Amino acid sequence: MQNFGMSMLWFWLCYAIVTLVGVLHSVFNIYVLHMKPMDDKSMGEGYEKTKPWHPLYNIILFSLFGYLYMRELTEPTVNEAVVTGLLWSGICIVFDVFGWVIVKHPWSLSFKGFYVDYQPWITLIYIAIFLGPIVGLLFC
């Protein structure tokens, strides 16, 4: 049986970590590899070069945190993993609209920038988040 509180704990912890990994990757590219930072015209080479890595961070981390969540369930099932994956990816889709588009900050994007220009990466990220608990279940 699903434990919503624990599910949310593992989800938000993973979301914070995967976001931090992405930001740190961009910072590494800019300061260590001397790639161009963002400016008024673009997000910059330092960020752009990280995009293909974003789905990989997500499938690894959300699978790990999916495993951590699923192992806590008394009798984890494929149905529980699918429901958790739907919940996690659904929350991400809604939260991302606010966190990366509506709320303005130095790294925010327009709707087009996030949902069109960020393809195929954003779609692969949401698929990875959905699959995280399912992959995690395979290791239980």
Side-chain angles (χ1 to χ4, degrees), residues 7-120:
S7 173
M8 290 298 93
L9 173 68
W10 290 122
F11 167 77
W12 287 112
L13 186 58
C14 187
Y15 188 93
I17 291 170
V18 80
T19 300
L20 182 63
V21 167
V23 169
L24 290 175
H25 189 177
S26 294
V27 169
F28 176 84
N29 285 353
I30 293 165
Y31 290 102
V32 176
L33 300 181
H34 306 291
M35 293 181 187
K36 293 180 182 172
M38 64 186 213
D39 57 27
D40 293 339
K41 298 174 189 163
S42 76
M43 291 298 287
E45 179 189 24
Y47 166 74
E48 292 296 328
K49 295 287 186 180
T50 68
K51 285 181 178 181
W53 295 93
H54 295 177
L56 184 61
Y57 309 150
N58 280 274
I59 194 62
I60 291 170
L61 290 168
F62 275 97
S63 294
L64 171 63
F65 281 79
Y67 164 75
L68 293 172
Y69 170 65
M70 297 304 289
R71 75 176 183 164
E72 292 180 356
L73 300 178
T74 307
E75 293 182 36
T77 64
V78 172
N79 186 53
E80 290 292 334
V82 168
V83 169
T84 301
L86 287 170
L87 177 66
W88 287 8
S89 57
I91 289 170
C92 239
I93 290 167
V94 172
F95 187 77
D96 283 352
V97 173
F98 292 96
W100 297 107
V101 178
I102 294 173
V103 175
K104 299 302 176 198
H105 53 81
W107 288 13
S108 64
L109 298 166
S110 66
F111 278 97
K112 181 183 179 291
F114 197 72
Y115 296 104
V116 176
D117 299 341
Y118 193 26
Q119 292 296 337

